Amino acid sequence: MRLDGKNAVVTGAAQGIGRAVCERFAIEGANVIAVDLNEEEGIKTSEIIREKGGSCSFFKANIGDLSDVESAIDECENKFGDLNIIVNNAGIVRAAMVHKMKEADWDNVINVHLKGTWNGIHAASKRMIPQKAGRIINVTSGAGLRGTIGQINYSSAKMGIVGATKSAARELGRYGITVNCISPAAITPMTETIRTDERFEKTYLDRISLGRWGEAEEIAAGFLFLASDESSYVTGIVLRVDGGMGM
Ligand SMILES: NC(=O)c1ccc[n+]([C@@H]2O[C@H](COP(=O)([O-])OP(=O)(O)OC[C@H]3O[C@@H](n4cnc5c(N)ncnc54)[C@H](O)[C@@H]3O)[C@@H](O)[C@H]2O)c1
């Protein structure tokens, strides 16, 4: 049990990578607050975990709203105790070529990913600094690291998250808090279109050295490493759990 007694807040927990991270953290002994806008599926995440004997509670929040994120952490502290781990994972895509993109789609994607990640780092660091310990895990993307076609909003936010991770790692290291990023490539509802549309399917698969998309559970193993004591001397990195896609 690598997270025995640790308290974690995980955003984007209603499906995909976030749900898999909640499940893995709970299996490893963590108490998890599963945060999402999607109440029905978020509650399902907590039920799946509790049925297996794990500790998880759903909390509805919009991560683009700082007061919602503060409330999610309050919920963790009230239910379980000190916040030890936050995973800033929730996300959306609103794809369009740059000249056709609506301003609202730029604003929404930047708000959920970049502001949402800042909200998580900001709110968590205030709680973690007095504890002189903590794990902050953010999520970037190959789309940000390499650039991509049709997602300038998402790519900009995801590269911004790398900058935020590195800056926060430099600021918070002195307090014993690590801040890292995962760059995943996984089978989730978010990647459904590019995995099943034949225009994209081969292009993406050709880039993945292992020749297949990862399961969300395989990505969760990377989060576990960054949340556990085994990564005590790791901060400011982008850990690619992407089958070699980002090489
Ligand atoms: N799946 C991949 O291959 C891949 C690749 C690169 C990066 N990512 C990143 O990994 C993270 C998880 O992706 P996924 O594939 O599991 O996506 P997903 O679409 O399956 O799940 C995202 C979750 O975030 C929630 N969410 C969206 N906006 C929210 C908000 N404002 N507040 C609270 N919750 C909100 C959704 O309801 C959903 O449950 C995202 O940040 C995504 O950009 C995924």
Side-chain angles (χ1 to χ4, degrees):
M1 300 261 272
R2 278 179 275 180
L3 302 180
D4 199 18
K6 301 283 188 196
N7 304 321
V9 168
V10 178
T11 73
Q15 60 185 34
I17 293 169
R19 177 178 277 175
V21 170
C22 290
E23 288 192 57
R24 187 67 201 267
F25 280 14
I27 288 167
E28 298 287 344
N31 304 303
V32 181
I33 299 290
V35 176
D36 209 286
L37 271 178
N38 183 338
E39 194 161 11
E40 198 182 328
E41 290 302 314
I43 288 173
K44 210 179 279 176
T45 298
S46 64
E47 287 172 350
I48 292 167
I49 289 169
R50 287 208 294 266
E51 272 164 24
K52 292 179 188 162
S55 169
C56 182
S57 179
F58 172 71
F59 188 83
K60 184 174 181 179
N62 173 6
I63 60 130
D65 183 332
L66 177 58
S67 63
D68 270 22
V69 176
E70 297 273 15
S71 300
I73 299 176
D74 288 343
E75 177 81 355
C76 176
E77 291 179 337
N78 293 336
K79 272 216 158 75
F80 302 133
D82 286 349
L83 174 73
N84 305 119
I85 303 156
I86 188 165
V87 174
N88 298 306
N89 163 77
I92 55 169
V93 284
R94 298 285 182 272
M97 298 299 274
V98 60
H99 58 293
K100 294 181 181 168
M101 186 172 284
K102 294 190 176 70
E103 188 181 3
D105 287 339
W106 169 270
D107 288 345
N108 286 339
V109 168
I110 297 293
N111 185 60
V112 172
H113 285 279
L114 190 52
K115 169 102 186 303
T117 298
W118 179 82
N119 286 340
I121 297 171
H122 173 74
S125 62
K126 285 191 287 182
R127 325 288 178 115
M128 290 172 174
I129 285 171
Q131 295 162 204
K132 296 219 174 321
R135 293 278 195 272
I136 299 174
I137 308 169
N138 304 320
V139 185
T140 186
S141 168
L145 300 172
R146 301 167 39 127
T148 193
I149 293 172
Q151 295 205 74
I152 194 170
N153 47 2
Y154 181 80
S155 301
S156 302
K158 286 308 203 188
M159 200 55 183
I161 288 170
V162 175
T165 299
K166 289 176 186 286
S167 297
R170 289 188 190 278
E171 289 190 18
L172 299 174
R174 73 197 71 175
Y175 303 109
I177 301 165
T178 67
V179 191
N180 293 294
C181 241
I182 298 263
S183 181
I187 297 167
T188 70
M190 182 181 277
T191 54
E192 173 76 19
T193 311
I194 50 176
R195 286 184 291 104
T196 52
D197 183 325
E198 59 185 30
R199 287 174 304 162
F200 303 123
E201 194 187 355
K202 189 169 180 322
T203 313
Y204 276 87
L205 266 186
D206 278 351
R207 289 191 202 147
I208 301 177
S209 303
L210 291 178
R212 63 174 178 85
W213 288 85
E215 301 294 335
E217 292 71 22
E218 293 178 286
I219 314 299
F223 284 86
L224 173 61
F225 169 65
L226 293 177
S228 74
D229 289 345
E230 284 156 42
S231 65
S232 56
Y233 204 55
V234 178
T235 197
I237 69 156
V238 175
L239 177 61
R240 289 175 165 148
V241 189
D242 65 0
M245 192 186 210
M247 265 196 296

